[in-house]
């Protein structure tokens, strides 16, 4: 899009916003927070794409879409269908034009200033990832190369990569840092392989640009797809490591379970340090909430027990934890309760079940929860391995299955690598004994049960 077009869109959108403002559809606080940051992104045929900053903004506008359409038609002189998209999704929606620019702007500072180490709450679930990230900044390429940070979505991996970028900018301003999504590497290389990219860069040029970096931060490696470019990437990767460039990779799944990536690349990734981020335990979840509240400068008070409530309810995903806070403050703007107390919060979230209810439990769910707690894969817990961590995890999973599902040992055996029912029975007995004798073991069981919502 050229700058003339951009200006035209901006003027049109200002006119629409002016009409919305005049219509007094929203009060000032809502208008400033949720309406003003919207933009007209593009007009395609009779569809106008509007970007909105977040889901709250999305639902507010969707609630009055007819009025918005009218205002838009008045300002534009034509009727359009309005389509809302989150700012953050725009990049994903329009990969080609965004990416074409990238080969020339690989080293651009694209770090979110709010995602810093200071703003990252450290707890048991992420301590290792946090420490390893800082160590990489200070001893690049020396140990832990590559550093692989893995764990479920919404648990702070991207935050850590941005924190690394921000930290380096401040403490090692001379270092050259590339932050890139894995699929963008592929697109860059493929574009250059076809002919040259729009800037006339050949594959060799792009490789040379990558080789200039001191730090390569690759986000979401699980999205890297099988393609002819993997050979080039493999060579580039080896060269970067050989020259002690620090590589830090994030993944939503355990690296050994990556699909679409050649095994030789996976085994290279596995050769460095792997650290897992898990769901925050209660105290960390609560501290994260406090941190996020601090950053918001809200005038309305929120009672401490509300934080307990949402920390318990949403701690499996920090993004949800944050989302719940947005929702709570949003409802508070609308309903002005004076103070956000437990009954207000309970009413806001009344539609969402607080815990996983018993009937939703399954052997699979229990296994997944235990794996997550111990940082194991499904195949590890089902394997014949007798390492202490794996067999303890297996004992716990078997114990919880038996205690809460009351299914026969034979059936549990099927789900744990086709084990014999007597082996499963003895696993169950071992767990019972250890719960009685080993307080740490007992705590682990209790925490897992709490995560499953059955305590
Ligand atoms: P991921 O990349 O693992 O899917 P993100 O890094 O995007 O997750 O995190 C989702 C949201 O949760 C972000 O807003 C991030 O700031 C926040 N978050 C996650 N973990 C923490 C933490 N330990 N402290 C503070 N904020 C966190
Ligand atoms: Mg991420």
């Amino acid at each position: 899009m050229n700058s003339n077009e951009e200006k035209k869109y901006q003027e049109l959108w200002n006119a629409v916003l002016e009409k919305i403002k005049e219509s007094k559809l929203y009060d000032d606080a809502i208008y400033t927070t949720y309406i003003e940051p919207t933009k007209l992104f593009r007009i395609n045929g009779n569809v106008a794409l509007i970007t909105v900053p977040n889901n709250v903004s999305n639902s507010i506008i969707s609630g009055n879409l007819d009025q918005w359409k009218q205002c838009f038609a008045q300002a534009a002189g034509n009727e359009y269908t309005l389509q809302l998209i989150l700012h953050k999704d725009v990049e994903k929606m329009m990969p080609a034009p965004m990416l074409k620019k990238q080969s020339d702007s690989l080293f651009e500072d694209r770090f979110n200033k709010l995602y810093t180490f200071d703003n990252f709450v450290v707890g048991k679930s992420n301590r290792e990832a946090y420490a390893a990230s800082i160590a990489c900044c200070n001893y690049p390429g020396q140990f832990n190369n590559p550093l692989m940070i893995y764990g479920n979505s919404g648990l702070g991996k991207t935050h850590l990569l941005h924190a690394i970028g921000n930290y380096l900018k401040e403490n090692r301003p001379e270092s050259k840092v590339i932050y890139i999504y894995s699929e963008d590497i592929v697109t860059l290389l493929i574009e250059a392989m076809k002919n040259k990219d729009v800037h006339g860069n050949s594959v060799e040029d792009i490789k040379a640009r990558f080789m200039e970096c001191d730090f390569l931060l690759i986000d979401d490696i699980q999205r890297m797809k099988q393609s002819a470019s993997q050979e080039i990437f493999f060579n580039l990767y080896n060269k970067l490591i050989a020259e002690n460039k620090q590589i830090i990779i994030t993944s939503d799944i355990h690296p050994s379970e990556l699909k679409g990536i050649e095994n030789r690349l996976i085994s290279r990734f596995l050769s460095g340090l792997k650290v897992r981020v898990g769901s925050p335990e209660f105290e960390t979840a609560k501290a994260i909430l406090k941190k996020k509240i601090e950053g918001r400068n809200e005038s309305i008070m929120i009672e401490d027990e509300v934080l307990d409530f949402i920390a318990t309810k949403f701690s499996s995903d920090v993004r949800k934890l944050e989302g719940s806070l947005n929702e709570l403050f949003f409802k508070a703007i609308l309903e002005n309760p004076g103070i956000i107390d437990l009954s207000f919060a309970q009413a806001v979230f009344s539609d969402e079940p607080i815990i996983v209810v018993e009937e939703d439990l399954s052997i699979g769910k229990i296994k997944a929860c235990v794996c997550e707690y111990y940082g194991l894969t499904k195949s590890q817990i089902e394997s014949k391995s007798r390492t202490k961590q794996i067999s303890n995890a297996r004992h716990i999973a078997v114990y919880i299955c038996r205690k809460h599902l009351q299914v026969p040992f034979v059936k549990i055996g099927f789900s744990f690598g086709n084990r014999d029912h007597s082996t499963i029975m003895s696993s169950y007995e071992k767990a019972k004994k250890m719960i009685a004798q080993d307080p740490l073991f007992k705590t682990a069981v209790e925490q897992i049960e709490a995560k499953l919502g059955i305590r």
Side-chain angles (χ1 to χ4, degrees):
M1 188 166 59
N2 61 38
S3 59
N4 261 348
E5 243 178 327
E6 221 166 292
K7 208 167 144 222
K8 220 175 69 196
Y9 284 166
Q10 204 175 337
E11 281 170 5
L12 173 56
W13 193 239
N14 286 345
V16 176
L17 289 185
E18 202 50 48
K19 290 191 183 303
I20 292 288
K21 212 170 176 181
E22 279 165 18
S23 73
K24 298 253 175 265
L25 209 51
Y26 308 111
D27 77 19
D28 286 352
I30 291 188
Y31 183 86
T32 319
T33 318
Y34 297 107
I35 307 297
E36 213 162 56
T38 55
K39 286 201 176 79
L40 171 59
F41 175 62
R42 199 151 293 187
I43 296 185
N44 280 340
N46 68 342
V47 178
L49 294 177
I50 316 299
T51 63
V52 295
N54 50 42
N55 286 325
V56 179
S57 186
N58 194 337
S59 49
I60 294 178
I61 298 177
S62 305
N64 309 100
L65 209 55
D66 283 344
Q67 280 103 317
W68 279 85
K69 264 169 133 174
Q70 271 175 21
C71 292
F72 198 94
Q74 284 164 12
N78 249 330
E79 287 216 356
Y80 287 91
T81 304
L82 304 189
Q83 193 173 328
L84 307 178
I85 352 163
L86 293 179
H87 284 327
K88 68 179 171 53
D89 291 336
V90 168
E91 220 166 294
K92 286 181 213 148
M93 257 192 56
M94 312 298 285
M98 301 295 292
L99 290 168
K100 276 180 187 156
K101 273 203 273 155
Q102 261 189 8
S103 58
D104 261 23
S105 57
L106 274 179
F107 295 98
E108 237 172 43
D109 174 2
R110 46 185 93 216
F111 298 110
N112 181 335
K113 298 291 163 273
L114 294 175
Y115 289 177
T116 59
F117 284 129
D118 282 348
N119 283 344
F120 191 79
V121 176
V122 184
K124 192 165 149 246
S125 55
N126 56 30
R127 190 182 307 284
E128 233 191 319
Y130 171 85
S133 300
I134 294 190
C136 284
C137 293
N138 293 314
Y139 305 98
Q142 294 184 29
F143 328 99
N144 314 340
N145 208 8
L147 168 65
M148 184 104 196
I149 304 173
Y150 71 98
N152 287 348
S153 168
L155 296 180
K157 300 179 296 296
T158 297
H159 186 133
L160 281 173
L161 287 191
H162 283 249
I164 290 170
N166 288 322
Y167 179 93
L168 290 171
K169 192 155 181 235
E170 194 169 324
N171 297 288
R172 291 176 164 250
E174 72 294 349
S175 50
K176 298 186 93 179
V177 187
I178 298 178
Y179 169 90
I180 190 161
Y181 289 110
S182 66
E183 66 260 50
D184 292 354
I185 299 182
V186 175
T187 314
L188 265 181
L189 291 175
I190 289 190
E191 290 250 318
M193 277 160 78
K194 274 195 233 146
N195 26 51
K196 283 184 173 181
D197 75 4
V198 282
H199 299 279
N201 291 309
S202 66
V203 169
E204 286 314 309
D205 295 332
I206 289 181
K207 276 163 71 175
R209 298 300 317 268
F210 271 100
M211 288 308 297
E212 282 171 37
C213 79
D214 304 301
F215 290 82
L216 173 59
L217 315 182
I218 307 178
D219 209 356
D220 286 334
I221 196 76
Q222 80 283 352
R223 300 216 292 239
M224 185 175 258
K225 295 277 170 323
Q226 188 83 52
S227 89
S229 70
Q230 272 193 23
E231 174 75 29
I232 303 171
F233 179 66
F234 182 71
N235 293 329
L236 174 62
Y237 177 92
N238 286 338
K239 244 174 117 184
L240 287 163
I241 294 278
E243 293 196 14
N244 293 333
K245 314 285 193 175
Q246 178 67 51
I247 299 181
I248 303 163
I249 303 172
T250 70
S251 173
D252 271 6
I253 52 180
H254 191 277
S256 66
E257 291 175 0
L258 287 168
K259 304 255 172 356
I261 297 184
E262 291 176 22
N263 284 340
R264 57 182 180 160
L265 250 179
I266 295 182
S267 75
R268 291 291 198 285
F269 295 161
L270 291 171
S271 67
L273 177 70
K274 298 182 296 298
V275 287
R276 179 177 162 272
V277 284
S279 296
E281 35 335 314
F282 173 75
E283 288 304 336
T284 311
K286 196 167 163 190
I288 292 175
L289 285 171
K290 285 190 170 158
K291 191 93 184 176
K292 300 286 174 190
I293 291 171
E294 251 173 57
R296 294 175 66 109
N297 269 330
E298 296 282 350
S299 50
I300 187 152
M301 289 280 295
I302 182 161
E303 276 186 355
D304 198 60
E305 55 181 356
V306 173
L307 302 187
D308 292 349
F309 172 69
I310 41 186
T312 314
K313 197 170 155 79
F314 298 109
S315 69
S316 62
D317 178 343
V318 182
R319 203 172 278 132
K320 277 207 191 118
L321 210 57
E322 266 193 281
S324 68
L325 213 51
N326 290 338
E327 202 170 334
L328 212 51
F329 279 115
F330 170 60
K331 288 276 164 52
I333 293 175
L334 293 181
E335 295 176 25
N336 205 4
I339 185 164
I340 300 178
D341 61 11
L342 188 57
S343 61
F344 182 80
Q346 279 168 333
V348 170
F349 299 116
S350 60
D351 290 346
E352 299 191 39
I354 296 186
I355 47 171
V356 181
V357 282
E358 283 274 346
E359 53 267 32
D360 278 354
L361 264 189
S362 64
I363 296 182
K365 213 168 228 175
I366 293 172
K367 235 178 355 188
C369 186
V370 174
C371 283
E372 209 214 343
Y373 185 87
Y374 278 99
L376 300 175
T377 63
K378 195 166 144 281
S379 33
Q380 280 175 315
I381 204 167
E382 288 170 5
S383 73
K384 301 270 177 271
S385 168
R386 287 170 184 270
T387 65
K388 192 165 170 236
Q389 192 198 21
I390 297 181
S391 46
N392 276 356
R394 201 180 295 123
H395 297 330
I396 291 181
V398 166
Y399 171 80
I400 295 178
C401 286
R402 176 70 181 179
K403 177 175 158 199
H404 293 276
L405 300 173
Q406 284 99 32
V407 282
F409 288 122
V410 180
K411 185 167 176 203
I412 303 176
F414 281 143
S415 301
F416 285 83
N418 240 344
R419 282 180 161 73
D420 187 76
H421 86 280
S422 58
T423 317
I424 296 296
M425 202 156 40
S426 94
S427 220
Y428 175 76
E429 291 304 333
K430 265 186 208 140
K432 262 178 50 181
K433 201 162 139 199
M434 281 165 85
I435 289 169
Q437 292 173 354
D438 179 352
L440 279 180
F441 189 93
K442 182 168 177 247
T443 308
V445 175
E446 286 170 356
Q447 285 178 347
I448 292 165
E449 287 177 328
K451 269 181 191 296
L452 287 162
I454 48 182
R455 271 196 79 74

